[in-house]
Amino acid sequence: MAREEQQNKSLAAKAAWPLLVLTAALQAYSGLSFVAYFFMGVLNPASGPGGWTAATMGGLQSVAAVVAFVLAARRDLRGATLAVAGSMMLGWLSTLPSVVEQGLNFHGDDKVTPVIFVVSPLLAIAAATLAWRNVYPIAAALIVSAMTFVGILVVIAFAIVIAMYGF
């Protein structure tokens, strides 16, 4: 019976695991980059307590991403999805001090960053809700990995454009 269950996995179920692990890896890297400011000689990365908040949240984001790795290795889709969603929320919280200080510019040249700032927590909350209720665990894993998947598609499209037209 378990063997039939393994063979009947859909493409979405097969794609959820690598995307979840890749998202956890990128979240760990992002969190460690916030913590690395203090080891690179930048004593005050932001004014006031904002720098310490970013570093603390970055460290917690890395810990949540490592928990996601452990849960993914144990093949716990629900737990890994919740850990990645928590890591995404901690990463979002680490950006709050700079957003409060500088604001979001929806009319500037970079229109993607404010949209990501708004969409990222919504995706994390939606995925965490689905994973917590254990309603659609594969959909939850795909939702929490959506930003990573879009990023991969952008890199592939950029590489194709560079290959076709050059730099």
Side-chain angles (χ1 to χ4, degrees):
M1 184 70 158
R3 187 170 191 196
E4 291 176 18
E5 189 176 308
Q6 290 287 341
Q7 292 176 351
N8 291 333
K9 283 190 176 178
S10 66
L11 179 64
K14 291 178 184 176
W17 285 104
L19 282 173
L20 199 62
V21 170
L22 183 62
T23 303
L26 292 174
Q27 291 294 318
Y29 173 76
S30 175
L32 289 176
S33 68
F34 280 118
V35 176
Y37 284 129
F38 296 109
F39 296 109
M40 294 175 3
V42 180
L43 296 177
N44 193 8
S47 62
W52 296 103
T53 303
T56 304
M57 291 297 158
L60 291 173
Q61 179 183 6
S62 298
V63 169
V66 169
V67 168
F69 279 126
V70 170
L71 291 171
R74 294 179 58 202
R75 305 297 285 179
D76 181 10
L77 185 64
R78 179 180 180 226
T81 303
L82 285 169
V84 169
S87 178
M88 284 179 70
M89 287 303 295
L90 288 168
W92 180 76
L93 287 172
S94 68
T95 62
L96 278 181
S98 64
V99 169
V100 167
E101 186 175 316
Q102 300 170 5
L104 285 175
N105 187 7
F106 285 100
H107 303 291
D109 291 336
D110 186 17
K111 296 190 185 335
V112 176
T113 302
V115 172
I116 290 173
F117 180 79
V118 172
V119 170
S120 179
L122 295 176
L123 290 175
I125 291 169
T129 303
L130 286 175
W132 183 263
R133 293 183 177 187
N134 207 13
V135 180
Y136 301 107
I138 295 170
L142 292 175
I143 289 171
V144 83
S145 303
M147 300 289 280
T148 303
F149 184 68
V150 170
I152 290 169
L153 291 180
V154 167
V155 168
I156 290 171
F158 181 72
I160 290 171
V161 168
I162 294 300
M164 289 173 52
Y165 300 109
F167 243 143

PDB file of all heavy atoms in Angstrom, residues 126-154:
ATOM      1  N   ALA A 126      -0.479  32.784   4.481  1.00  0.00           N
ATOM      2  CA  ALA A 126      -1.386  31.853   3.799  1.00  0.00           C
ATOM      3  C   ALA A 126      -0.840  30.427   3.849  1.00  0.00           C
ATOM      4  O   ALA A 126      -1.579  29.474   4.134  1.00  0.00           O
ATOM      5  CB  ALA A 126      -1.591  32.287   2.352  1.00  0.00           C
ATOM      6  N   ALA A 127       0.458  30.268   3.592  1.00  0.00           N
ATOM      7  CA  ALA A 127       1.058  28.938   3.622  1.00  0.00           C
ATOM      8  C   ALA A 127       1.065  28.362   5.030  1.00  0.00           C
ATOM      9  O   ALA A 127       0.796  27.171   5.223  1.00  0.00           O
ATOM     10  CB  ALA A 127       2.485  28.993   3.067  1.00  0.00           C
ATOM     11  N   ALA A 128       1.356  29.195   6.016  1.00  0.00           N
ATOM     12  CA  ALA A 128       1.364  28.716   7.401  1.00  0.00           C
ATOM     13  C   ALA A 128      -0.038  28.294   7.845  1.00  0.00           C
ATOM     14  O   ALA A 128      -0.196  27.298   8.554  1.00  0.00           O
ATOM     15  CB  ALA A 128       1.918  29.790   8.326  1.00  0.00           C
ATOM     16  N   THR A 129      -1.042  29.026   7.396  1.00  0.00           N
ATOM     17  CA  THR A 129      -2.417  28.662   7.744  1.00  0.00           C
ATOM     18  C   THR A 129      -2.801  27.320   7.137  1.00  0.00           C
ATOM     19  O   THR A 129      -3.380  26.461   7.806  1.00  0.00           O
ATOM     20  CB  THR A 129      -3.387  29.764   7.274  1.00  0.00           C
ATOM     21  OG1 THR A 129      -3.004  30.999   7.865  1.00  0.00           O
ATOM     22  CG2 THR A 129      -4.810  29.432   7.661  1.00  0.00           C
ATOM     23  N   LEU A 130      -2.477  27.140   5.861  1.00  0.00           N
ATOM     24  CA  LEU A 130      -2.792  25.863   5.212  1.00  0.00           C
ATOM     25  C   LEU A 130      -2.008  24.706   5.835  1.00  0.00           C
ATOM     26  O   LEU A 130      -2.538  23.610   6.013  1.00  0.00           O
ATOM     27  CB  LEU A 130      -2.488  25.941   3.715  1.00  0.00           C
ATOM     28  CG  LEU A 130      -3.457  26.755   2.870  1.00  0.00           C
ATOM     29  CD1 LEU A 130      -2.959  26.830   1.441  1.00  0.00           C
ATOM     30  CD2 LEU A 130      -4.837  26.158   2.927  1.00  0.00           C
ATOM     31  N   ALA A 131      -0.742  24.953   6.162  1.00  0.00           N
ATOM     32  CA  ALA A 131       0.076  23.892   6.762  1.00  0.00           C
ATOM     33  C   ALA A 131      -0.389  23.588   8.184  1.00  0.00           C
ATOM     34  O   ALA A 131      -0.403  22.428   8.599  1.00  0.00           O
ATOM     35  CB  ALA A 131       1.545  24.290   6.756  1.00  0.00           C
ATOM     36  N   TRP A 132      -0.732  24.616   8.942  1.00  0.00           N
ATOM     37  CA  TRP A 132      -1.162  24.405  10.324  1.00  0.00           C
ATOM     38  C   TRP A 132      -2.445  23.585  10.384  1.00  0.00           C
ATOM     39  O   TRP A 132      -2.576  22.689  11.206  1.00  0.00           O
ATOM     40  CB  TRP A 132      -1.369  25.756  11.010  1.00  0.00           C
ATOM     41  CG  TRP A 132      -1.734  25.622  12.442  1.00  0.00           C
ATOM     42  CD1 TRP A 132      -2.988  25.650  12.980  1.00  0.00           C
ATOM     43  CD2 TRP A 132      -0.836  25.413  13.520  1.00  0.00           C
ATOM     44  NE1 TRP A 132      -2.927  25.481  14.329  1.00  0.00           N
ATOM     45  CE2 TRP A 132      -1.609  25.339  14.693  1.00  0.00           C
ATOM     46  CE3 TRP A 132       0.545  25.307  13.629  1.00  0.00           C
ATOM     47  CZ2 TRP A 132      -1.048  25.148  15.941  1.00  0.00           C
ATOM     48  CZ3 TRP A 132       1.104  25.113  14.884  1.00  0.00           C
ATOM     49  CH2 TRP A 132       0.308  25.036  16.007  1.00  0.00           C
ATOM     50  N   ARG A 133      -3.373  23.889   9.496  1.00  0.00           N
ATOM     51  CA  ARG A 133      -4.629  23.145   9.467  1.00  0.00           C
ATOM     52  C   ARG A 133      -4.493  21.795   8.777  1.00  0.00           C
ATOM     53  O   ARG A 133      -5.402  20.985   8.818  1.00  0.00           O
ATOM     54  CB  ARG A 133      -5.709  23.967   8.774  1.00  0.00           C
ATOM     55  CG  ARG A 133      -6.085  25.185   9.563  1.00  0.00           C
ATOM     56  CD  ARG A 133      -7.185  25.918   8.906  1.00  0.00           C
ATOM     57  NE  ARG A 133      -7.575  27.055   9.727  1.00  0.00           N
ATOM     58  CZ  ARG A 133      -8.600  27.806   9.467  1.00  0.00           C
ATOM     59  NH1 ARG A 133      -9.362  27.559   8.425  1.00  0.00           N
ATOM     60  NH2 ARG A 133      -8.881  28.813  10.250  1.00  0.00           N
ATOM     61  N   ASN A 134      -3.386  21.594   8.094  1.00  0.00           N
ATOM     62  CA  ASN A 134      -3.067  20.349   7.386  1.00  0.00           C
ATOM     63  C   ASN A 134      -4.141  20.023   6.346  1.00  0.00           C
ATOM     64  O   ASN A 134      -4.496  18.880   6.132  1.00  0.00           O
ATOM     65  CB  ASN A 134      -2.887  19.192   8.368  1.00  0.00           C
ATOM     66  CG  ASN A 134      -1.954  18.137   7.815  1.00  0.00           C
ATOM     67  OD1 ASN A 134      -1.256  18.360   6.833  1.00  0.00           O
ATOM     68  ND2 ASN A 134      -1.942  16.982   8.452  1.00  0.00           N
ATOM     69  N   VAL A 135      -4.633  21.079   5.697  1.00  0.00           N
ATOM     70  CA  VAL A 135      -5.670  20.912   4.685  1.00  0.00           C
ATOM     71  C   VAL A 135      -5.039  20.532   3.348  1.00  0.00           C
ATOM     72  O   VAL A 135      -5.347  19.497   2.774  1.00  0.00           O
ATOM     73  CB  VAL A 135      -6.496  22.212   4.546  1.00  0.00           C
ATOM     74  CG1 VAL A 135      -7.570  22.046   3.496  1.00  0.00           C
ATOM     75  CG2 VAL A 135      -7.102  22.600   5.869  1.00  0.00           C
ATOM     76  N   TYR A 136      -4.160  21.385   2.860  1.00  0.00           N
ATOM     77  CA  TYR A 136      -3.470  21.165   1.592  1.00  0.00           C
ATOM     78  C   TYR A 136      -1.974  21.350   1.816  1.00  0.00           C
ATOM     79  O   TYR A 136      -1.421  22.413   1.514  1.00  0.00           O
ATOM     80  CB  TYR A 136      -3.964  22.154   0.530  1.00  0.00           C
ATOM     81  CG  TYR A 136      -5.423  22.070   0.245  1.00  0.00           C
ATOM     82  CD1 TYR A 136      -6.296  23.056   0.683  1.00  0.00           C
ATOM     83  CD2 TYR A 136      -5.935  21.000  -0.477  1.00  0.00           C
ATOM     84  CE1 TYR A 136      -7.644  22.980   0.415  1.00  0.00           C
ATOM     85  CE2 TYR A 136      -7.285  20.916  -0.750  1.00  0.00           C
ATOM     86  CZ  TYR A 136      -8.129  21.905  -0.303  1.00  0.00           C
ATOM     87  OH  TYR A 136      -9.461  21.824  -0.567  1.00  0.00           O
ATOM     88  N   PRO A 137      -1.281  20.345   2.336  1.00  0.00           N
ATOM     89  CA  PRO A 137       0.136  20.538   2.673  1.00  0.00           C
ATOM     90  C   PRO A 137       1.018  20.779   1.449  1.00  0.00           C
ATOM     91  O   PRO A 137       1.978  21.552   1.530  1.00  0.00           O
ATOM     92  CB  PRO A 137       0.523  19.245   3.391  1.00  0.00           C
ATOM     93  CG  PRO A 137      -0.513  18.249   2.998  1.00  0.00           C
ATOM     94  CD  PRO A 137      -1.753  19.009   2.684  1.00  0.00           C
ATOM     95  N   ILE A 138       0.702  20.166   0.318  1.00  0.00           N
ATOM     96  CA  ILE A 138       1.518  20.378  -0.881  1.00  0.00           C
ATOM     97  C   ILE A 138       1.304  21.792  -1.405  1.00  0.00           C
ATOM     98  O   ILE A 138       2.258  22.482  -1.783  1.00  0.00           O
ATOM     99  CB  ILE A 138       1.197  19.313  -1.946  1.00  0.00           C
ATOM    100  CG1 ILE A 138       1.612  17.944  -1.428  1.00  0.00           C
ATOM    101  CG2 ILE A 138       1.889  19.624  -3.260  1.00  0.00           C
ATOM    102  CD1 ILE A 138       1.146  16.792  -2.276  1.00  0.00           C
ATOM    103  N   ALA A 139       0.068  22.255  -1.404  1.00  0.00           N
ATOM    104  CA  ALA A 139      -0.211  23.630  -1.823  1.00  0.00           C
ATOM    105  C   ALA A 139       0.469  24.627  -0.899  1.00  0.00           C
ATOM    106  O   ALA A 139       0.998  25.651  -1.353  1.00  0.00           O
ATOM    107  CB  ALA A 139      -1.708  23.877  -1.864  1.00  0.00           C
ATOM    108  N   ALA A 140       0.480  24.333   0.397  1.00  0.00           N
ATOM    109  CA  ALA A 140       1.153  25.221   1.347  1.00  0.00           C
ATOM    110  C   ALA A 140       2.653  25.298   1.063  1.00  0.00           C
ATOM    111  O   ALA A 140       3.244  26.384   1.101  1.00  0.00           O
ATOM    112  CB  ALA A 140       0.909  24.740   2.772  1.00  0.00           C
ATOM    113  N   ALA A 141       3.258  24.151   0.761  1.00  0.00           N
ATOM    114  CA  ALA A 141       4.694  24.145   0.445  1.00  0.00           C
ATOM    115  C   ALA A 141       4.973  24.907  -0.842  1.00  0.00           C
ATOM    116  O   ALA A 141       5.979  25.617  -0.945  1.00  0.00           O
ATOM    117  CB  ALA A 141       5.194  22.707   0.329  1.00  0.00           C
ATOM    118  N   LEU A 142       4.094  24.793  -1.814  1.00  0.00           N
ATOM    119  CA  LEU A 142       4.285  25.524  -3.066  1.00  0.00           C
ATOM    120  C   LEU A 142       4.049  27.022  -2.886  1.00  0.00           C
ATOM    121  O   LEU A 142       4.735  27.842  -3.499  1.00  0.00           O
ATOM    122  CB  LEU A 142       3.380  24.964  -4.149  1.00  0.00           C
ATOM    123  CG  LEU A 142       3.732  23.546  -4.624  1.00  0.00           C
ATOM    124  CD1 LEU A 142       2.688  23.047  -5.601  1.00  0.00           C
ATOM    125  CD2 LEU A 142       5.112  23.498  -5.234  1.00  0.00           C
ATOM    126  N   ILE A 143       3.095  27.395  -2.039  1.00  0.00           N
ATOM    127  CA  ILE A 143       2.839  28.815  -1.787  1.00  0.00           C
ATOM    128  C   ILE A 143       4.025  29.456  -1.080  1.00  0.00           C
ATOM    129  O   ILE A 143       4.449  30.550  -1.441  1.00  0.00           O
ATOM    130  CB  ILE A 143       1.538  28.991  -0.973  1.00  0.00           C
ATOM    131  CG1 ILE A 143       0.337  28.677  -1.850  1.00  0.00           C
ATOM    132  CG2 ILE A 143       1.427  30.398  -0.407  1.00  0.00           C
ATOM    133  CD1 ILE A 143      -0.970  28.614  -1.103  1.00  0.00           C
ATOM    134  N   VAL A 144       4.571  28.773  -0.080  1.00  0.00           N
ATOM    135  CA  VAL A 144       5.699  29.348   0.656  1.00  0.00           C
ATOM    136  C   VAL A 144       6.953  29.411  -0.217  1.00  0.00           C
ATOM    137  O   VAL A 144       7.834  30.232   0.009  1.00  0.00           O
ATOM    138  CB  VAL A 144       5.948  28.587   1.981  1.00  0.00           C
ATOM    139  CG1 VAL A 144       6.781  27.346   1.775  1.00  0.00           C
ATOM    140  CG2 VAL A 144       6.595  29.466   3.017  1.00  0.00           C
ATOM    141  N   SER A 145       7.008  28.584  -1.253  1.00  0.00           N
ATOM    142  CA  SER A 145       8.151  28.583  -2.168  1.00  0.00           C
ATOM    143  C   SER A 145       7.904  29.411  -3.423  1.00  0.00           C
ATOM    144  O   SER A 145       8.748  29.428  -4.322  1.00  0.00           O
ATOM    145  CB  SER A 145       8.482  27.152  -2.585  1.00  0.00           C
ATOM    146  OG  SER A 145       8.748  26.352  -1.475  1.00  0.00           O
ATOM    147  N   ALA A 146       6.776  30.093  -3.497  1.00  0.00           N
ATOM    148  CA  ALA A 146       6.416  30.826  -4.714  1.00  0.00           C
ATOM    149  C   ALA A 146       7.421  31.920  -5.054  1.00  0.00           C
ATOM    150  O   ALA A 146       7.796  32.082  -6.219  1.00  0.00           O
ATOM    151  CB  ALA A 146       5.015  31.419  -4.570  1.00  0.00           C
ATOM    152  N   MET A 147       7.877  32.661  -4.052  1.00  0.00           N
ATOM    153  CA  MET A 147       8.847  33.735  -4.316  1.00  0.00           C
ATOM    154  C   MET A 147      10.158  33.162  -4.850  1.00  0.00           C
ATOM    155  O   MET A 147      10.778  33.751  -5.733  1.00  0.00           O
ATOM    156  CB  MET A 147       9.092  34.545  -3.048  1.00  0.00           C
ATOM    157  CG  MET A 147       7.856  35.197  -2.494  1.00  0.00           C
ATOM    158  SD  MET A 147       7.243  36.546  -3.446  1.00  0.00           S
ATOM    159  CE  MET A 147       8.313  37.829  -2.914  1.00  0.00           C
ATOM    160  N   THR A 148      10.563  32.033  -4.318  1.00  0.00           N
ATOM    161  CA  THR A 148      11.785  31.387  -4.807  1.00  0.00           C
ATOM    162  C   THR A 148      11.601  30.912  -6.234  1.00  0.00           C
ATOM    163  O   THR A 148      12.491  31.085  -7.079  1.00  0.00           O
ATOM    164  CB  THR A 148      12.149  30.196  -3.897  1.00  0.00           C
ATOM    165  OG1 THR A 148      12.299  30.676  -2.563  1.00  0.00           O
ATOM    166  CG2 THR A 148      13.421  29.528  -4.343  1.00  0.00           C
ATOM    167  N   PHE A 149      10.447  30.330  -6.535  1.00  0.00           N
ATOM    168  CA  PHE A 149      10.178  29.850  -7.888  1.00  0.00           C
ATOM    169  C   PHE A 149      10.166  31.002  -8.887  1.00  0.00           C
ATOM    170  O   PHE A 149      10.736  30.903  -9.977  1.00  0.00           O
ATOM    171  CB  PHE A 149       8.845  29.096  -7.915  1.00  0.00           C
ATOM    172  CG  PHE A 149       8.520  28.489  -9.246  1.00  0.00           C
ATOM    173  CD1 PHE A 149       9.269  27.438  -9.743  1.00  0.00           C
ATOM    174  CD2 PHE A 149       7.481  28.988 -10.006  1.00  0.00           C
ATOM    175  CE1 PHE A 149       8.980  26.879 -10.970  1.00  0.00           C
ATOM    176  CE2 PHE A 149       7.179  28.434 -11.233  1.00  0.00           C
ATOM    177  CZ  PHE A 149       7.935  27.373 -11.725  1.00  0.00           C
ATOM    178  N   VAL A 150       9.550  32.119  -8.519  1.00  0.00           N
ATOM    179  CA  VAL A 150       9.543  33.290  -9.395  1.00  0.00           C
ATOM    180  C   VAL A 150      10.959  33.816  -9.588  1.00  0.00           C
ATOM    181  O   VAL A 150      11.350  34.202 -10.699  1.00  0.00           O
ATOM    182  CB  VAL A 150       8.598  34.380  -8.835  1.00  0.00           C
ATOM    183  CG1 VAL A 150       8.761  35.691  -9.574  1.00  0.00           C
ATOM    184  CG2 VAL A 150       7.166  33.910  -8.897  1.00  0.00           C
ATOM    185  N   GLY A 151      11.752  33.819  -8.529  1.00  0.00           N
ATOM    186  CA  GLY A 151      13.145  34.243  -8.645  1.00  0.00           C
ATOM    187  C   GLY A 151      13.943  33.353  -9.581  1.00  0.00           C
ATOM    188  O   GLY A 151      14.761  33.840 -10.379  1.00  0.00           O
ATOM    189  N   ILE A 152      13.703  32.054  -9.514  1.00  0.00           N
ATOM    190  CA  ILE A 152      14.389  31.122 -10.417  1.00  0.00           C
ATOM    191  C   ILE A 152      13.987  31.407 -11.864  1.00  0.00           C
ATOM    192  O   ILE A 152      14.838  31.427 -12.761  1.00  0.00           O
ATOM    193  CB  ILE A 152      14.066  29.665 -10.030  1.00  0.00           C
ATOM    194  CG1 ILE A 152      14.733  29.309  -8.708  1.00  0.00           C
ATOM    195  CG2 ILE A 152      14.510  28.696 -11.116  1.00  0.00           C
ATOM    196  CD1 ILE A 152      14.267  27.995  -8.124  1.00  0.00           C
ATOM    197  N   LEU A 153      12.705  31.641 -12.094  1.00  0.00           N
ATOM    198  CA  LEU A 153      12.242  31.956 -13.454  1.00  0.00           C
ATOM    199  C   LEU A 153      12.846  33.258 -13.962  1.00  0.00           C
ATOM    200  O   LEU A 153      13.209  33.356 -15.144  1.00  0.00           O
ATOM    201  CB  LEU A 153      10.722  32.023 -13.488  1.00  0.00           C
ATOM    202  CG  LEU A 153       9.980  30.710 -13.301  1.00  0.00           C
ATOM    203  CD1 LEU A 153       8.477  30.939 -13.357  1.00  0.00           C
ATOM    204  CD2 LEU A 153      10.398  29.689 -14.336  1.00  0.00           C
ATOM    205  N   VAL A 154      12.990  34.252 -13.106  1.00  0.00           N
ATOM    206  CA  VAL A 154      13.599  35.520 -13.518  1.00  0.00           C
ATOM    207  C   VAL A 154      15.065  35.314 -13.885  1.00  0.00           C
ATOM    208  O   VAL A 154      15.547  35.857 -14.887  1.00  0.00           O
ATOM    209  CB  VAL A 154      13.441  36.580 -12.403  1.00  0.00           C
ATOM    210  CG1 VAL A 154      14.318  37.790 -12.653  1.00  0.00           C
ATOM    211  CG2 VAL A 154      11.989  36.994 -12.291  1.00  0.00           C
TER     212      VAL A 154
END
